[in-house]
Amino acid sequence: MTVRRRNFLLSVAMTALAAAPGFGQAAPARDGTPIPDFSGMWSHPWLPGYEPLASGPTSLRNLSRRDGVSNPLQLVGDYNNPILKPETAATVKKFGEMSIAHYGFHNPRNQCWPNGLPFVLSSNGLEIFQQGDRITMIYQVDHQVRRVRMNAQHLAKVVPSYFGDSVGHWEGDTLVIDSTNFKRWSLDDWYYQDYKEYRMHSDAFHTIERIRYINDKTLSYNLTVDDPKIFSAPWSQEFTMTYKPEWE
């Protein structure tokens, strides 16, 4: 299938979805409170990369800096971050040394593999299609698709996937997405994601995303990652996304 035909079919599918009853309408929460509608295109530049939170268990800082910010051309994760168990820290250190030596290492993007969650969150360009019983997310990078079942339970039997089994619910004006059952080699972060050598999460890998409006053109996106077999504690990172109607 050609790229043009694939994009055409994707456009037809999204047009049909948009025409479905309830699309783009913020259905009320169970208590009758109106909920926000996140439908549309949202942007978060993936360079120079996320910075960790100022306090609490959080994602790794890139020790390689350029002009005061993370240097995306040299990924050297802070292996002293207390979220890392000893074996995890050793892998982060090893990959950082490879990057310093200009050897580099594989990651989903440079190997053209599905990014998985949460690696895909670094992509610049996310389109959200919101309906009452489901939310569909399409990432601009490689047209990767996620589906979130609203007000549902995790499936008892499910085939693990790159984006896991995602269920969502509303807590006031905040969309909460709980995901489990990831492929064992779905990849977690920039600093330890060599898919051939080390599966940097276990069958206990679990993510929670919290999305809310800061204002009518800006979303706050908070991610919490938990895997007690890999990390010493759950950790979080937070970033903002900007509404881009001109991209739609």
Side-chain angles (χ1 to χ4, degrees):
M1 180 182 294
T2 66
V3 172
R4 178 176 296 178
R5 178 169 175 77
R6 182 191 65 183
N7 291 344
F8 170 76
L9 293 175
L10 180 64
S11 175
V12 170
M14 291 303 98
T15 299
L17 176 62
F23 177 80
Q25 300 176 6
R30 290 177 178 176
D31 63 359
T33 303
I35 60 175
D37 188 354
F38 298 144
S39 298
M41 179 67 79
W42 300 89
S43 168
H44 174 79
W46 71 280
L47 295 176
Y50 303 125
E51 294 290 357
L53 300 178
S55 62
T58 187
S59 56
L60 305 189
R61 180 178 187 269
N62 189 1
L63 298 179
S64 178
R65 316 298 288 180
R66 187 173 65 175
D67 298 327
V69 298
S70 173
N71 178 7
L73 301 179
Q74 193 174 71
L75 302 178
V76 185
D78 181 6
Y79 55 87
N80 291 311
N81 189 316
I83 69 168
L84 302 177
K85 289 193 171 184
E87 60 272 24
T88 313
T91 301
V92 172
K93 182 178 180 181
K94 172 185 174 181
F95 286 175
E97 291 170 347
M98 291 165 60
S99 190
I100 291 173
H102 305 290
Y103 181 77
F105 49 87
H106 297 113
N107 68 48
R109 190 168 289 122
N110 65 32
Q111 296 300 300
C112 299
W113 282 91
N115 288 184
L117 188 68
F119 190 94
V120 75
L121 297 183
S122 65
S123 300
N124 184 13
L126 164 63
E127 189 160 15
I128 297 176
F129 298 87
Q130 184 170 325
Q131 294 177 277
D133 62 346
R134 63 189 180 277
I135 291 176
T136 303
M137 298 178 171
I138 299 181
Y139 297 91
Q140 190 171 30
V141 175
D142 297 329
H143 298 95
Q144 298 175 91
V145 179
R146 288 182 65 195
R147 296 175 178 85
V148 180
R149 295 176 292 111
M150 295 300 295
N151 302 314
Q153 300 295 319
H154 285 295
L155 300 174
K157 294 183 179 181
V158 59
V159 177
S161 64
Y162 299 108
F163 296 107
D165 177 37
S166 296
V167 297
H169 68 275
W170 292 95
E171 294 182 0
D173 62 354
T174 301
L175 172 63
V176 180
I177 303 174
D178 185 297
S179 300
T180 61
N181 289 297
F182 294 89
K183 274 183 181 270
R184 285 292 301 276
W185 60 275
S186 183
L187 306 165
D188 306 339
D189 207 340
W190 284 25
Y191 306 108
Y192 41 81
Q193 75 282 49
D194 189 323
Y195 70 93
K196 290 184 177 179
E197 181 172 347
Y198 199 87
R199 273 61 163 179
M200 282 303 297
H201 71 72
S202 73
D203 54 1
F205 188 65
H206 176 206
T207 66
I208 296 178
E209 299 154 88
R210 296 179 180 273
I211 309 170
R212 62 177 178 83
Y213 274 113
I214 297 175
N215 56 51
D216 61 351
K217 296 187 182 301
T218 310
L219 293 180
S220 168
Y221 206 121
N222 181 282
L223 168 75
T224 297
V225 172
D226 186 19
D227 189 336
K229 298 181 181 180
I230 300 296
F231 303 109
S232 61
W235 55 269
S236 300
Q237 65 183 35
E238 191 166 16
F239 55 95
T240 59
M241 302 193 80
T242 304
Y243 181 51
K244 292 287 187 180
E246 66 272 21
W247 289 7
E248 295 178 0

